[in-house]
Amino acid sequence: MAKAGYFSYKVKPSLTIISLNSNFCNNLNLWLLPSPADPASHLAWLVEELLVAEKSGSMVHIISHIPPGTSSCLGAWSHQYSRIIERFSSIITAQFFGHSHWDEFSVLFNSSTRQPISMAYITPSLTPHDGLNPAYRVYYTDSSRDNSTHLVLDHATYSLDLEMVNTLPSNTTLSYTLEYTARDSLGMQDLSPESWGGFVQRLVREEEAWDMFYRRYSRGGPHAHKKCKKTCKEDILCRLVTFDREDTMECGRIKKEMKMIEMEQTEQWTVWDIL
């Protein structure tokens, strides 16, 4: 089924792929001004497709371009989309986005319990602008066996060191190398929303984990050498926990926690000064 640049496709009885047209949330799309509520009835169509999948017992993967939590997506559309994902989180086992060019992700929290319930995987780009090294990613899902869950089991990111390859002869064949795999490198038992939420907490408190994440954020490109102080770190961490642009609760909690950590460190230094 295709309409206005979005469609769904049933790969097998247990898995439906839904492709969204994120231009309907693009804040640079002036054509949204006459009909900002639900242009082309895109979200209404999404609900219908998810209801069909739910009734048939099918799991769902969503693919699109602009992640809902970024500033590039209109807040009202982001909020309504997040409500839909929350409602159908039991059957939506993966969401895949691009657009930002960074190596990042976004966790959706239940609006009532504040538990992590869904994930937006945001794939790093092949485009190297803004000081990035080009990269691509391979996702491994539980989709080949009987009674598959269609959950993301792992992902592997391959990148290219531009500074190094620019020193090679012009006729050299470029070769991307494995940068990291999520489970082995990030120390997570699985890639569930709960595990990603826990990983964010590690980034808040563990300096070594944060330094590695920040380097991979740009795949070790020139941007990785820029200092990322408190405001920069807060902004990036807030991106990781902002799925719904109108829900800033988790971002606020992270900022409070970082302030407490800063106070604790200040108190420790004060004690040393007294001694």
Side-chain angles (χ1 to χ4, degrees):
M1 179 178 182
K3 180 180 179 182
Y6 51 83
F7 63 90
S8 67
Y9 179 73
K10 198 153 191 174
V11 180
K12 56 177 66 176
S14 62
L15 178 63
T16 301
I17 303 292
I18 296 180
S19 177
L20 304 180
N21 184 353
S22 57
N23 275 319
F24 290 124
C25 87
N26 192 340
N27 65 351
L28 297 179
N29 185 357
L30 298 181
W31 292 101
L32 298 181
L33 293 177
S35 179
D38 185 14
S41 300
H42 193 359
L43 295 178
W45 170 86
L46 174 60
V47 170
E48 292 175 0
E49 292 297 310
L50 290 170
L51 283 171
V52 170
E54 186 177 59
K55 290 178 181 178
S56 69
S58 175
M59 298 294 106
V60 174
H61 286 178
I62 292 177
I63 58 175
S64 190
H65 182 68
I66 301 176
T70 67
S71 59
S72 297
C73 185
L74 295 173
W77 196 96
S78 169
H79 178 62
Q80 295 304 328
Y81 175 75
S82 299
R83 292 180 63 199
I84 294 170
I85 300 304
E86 181 172 344
R87 159 62 178 83
F88 292 97
S89 60
S90 61
I91 65 168
I92 299 172
T93 55
Q95 300 174 73
F96 306 100
F97 297 89
H99 184 68
S100 77
H101 295 236
W102 306 109
D103 184 343
E104 56 183 337
F105 57 89
S106 177
V107 182
L108 172 64
F109 293 81
N110 183 286
S111 56
S112 299
T113 66
R114 307 310 302 177
Q115 295 300 308
I117 58 171
S118 193
M119 272 289 302
Y121 289 98
I122 304 173
T123 303
S125 67
L126 286 169
T127 308
H129 74 71
D130 292 335
L132 313 180
N133 276 329
Y136 68 89
R137 175 171 293 160
V138 177
Y139 291 95
Y140 299 94
T141 65
D142 174 28
S143 300
S144 60
R145 63 186 178 88
D146 293 337
N147 300 318
S148 297
T149 63
H150 301 293
L151 293 169
V152 177
L153 301 178
D154 204 356
H155 65 64
T157 301
Y158 297 81
S159 61
L160 184 70
D161 186 337
L162 283 182
E163 184 177 0
M164 183 273 291
V165 299
N166 281 329
T167 65
L168 302 176
S170 59
N171 61 347
T172 301
T173 300
L174 299 182
S175 179
Y176 284 73
T177 58
L178 177 63
E179 184 180 3
Y180 74 100
T181 57
R183 287 186 61 180
D184 285 346
S185 180
L186 306 183
M188 297 193 299
Q189 291 185 339
D190 55 42
L191 300 192
S192 65
E194 295 85 356
S195 292
W196 284 108
F199 179 63
V200 174
Q201 287 304 304
R202 288 179 52 204
L203 296 180
V204 173
R205 289 198 165 267
E206 297 179 16
E207 188 172 346
E208 184 177 349
W210 165 256
D211 288 343
M212 180 61 73
F213 172 83
Y214 183 67
R215 176 175 174 77
R216 289 172 175 163
Y217 189 63
S218 61
R219 284 83 73 192
H223 184 277
H225 303 298
K226 296 180 180 179
K227 295 292 184 182
C228 185
K229 298 183 179 180
K230 180 184 177 183
T231 301
C232 166
K233 183 176 180 179
E234 284 182 349
D235 289 345
I236 293 176
L237 290 174
C238 280
R239 290 167 67 98
L240 305 184
V241 295
T242 303
F243 188 101
D244 176 355
R245 280 196 59 201
E246 296 189 0
D247 181 0
T248 60
M249 185 176 295
E250 296 303 317
C251 175
R253 184 189 57 74
I254 281 178
K255 289 182 177 180
K256 289 181 181 178
E257 186 170 355
M258 289 185 65
K259 187 173 182 179
M260 290 179 59
I261 293 172
E262 185 178 30
M263 292 174 60
E264 290 171 1
Q265 292 173 342
T266 301
E267 290 175 358
Q268 290 175 358
W269 282 112
T270 301
V271 171
W272 277 108
D273 289 341
I274 294 174
L275 295 176

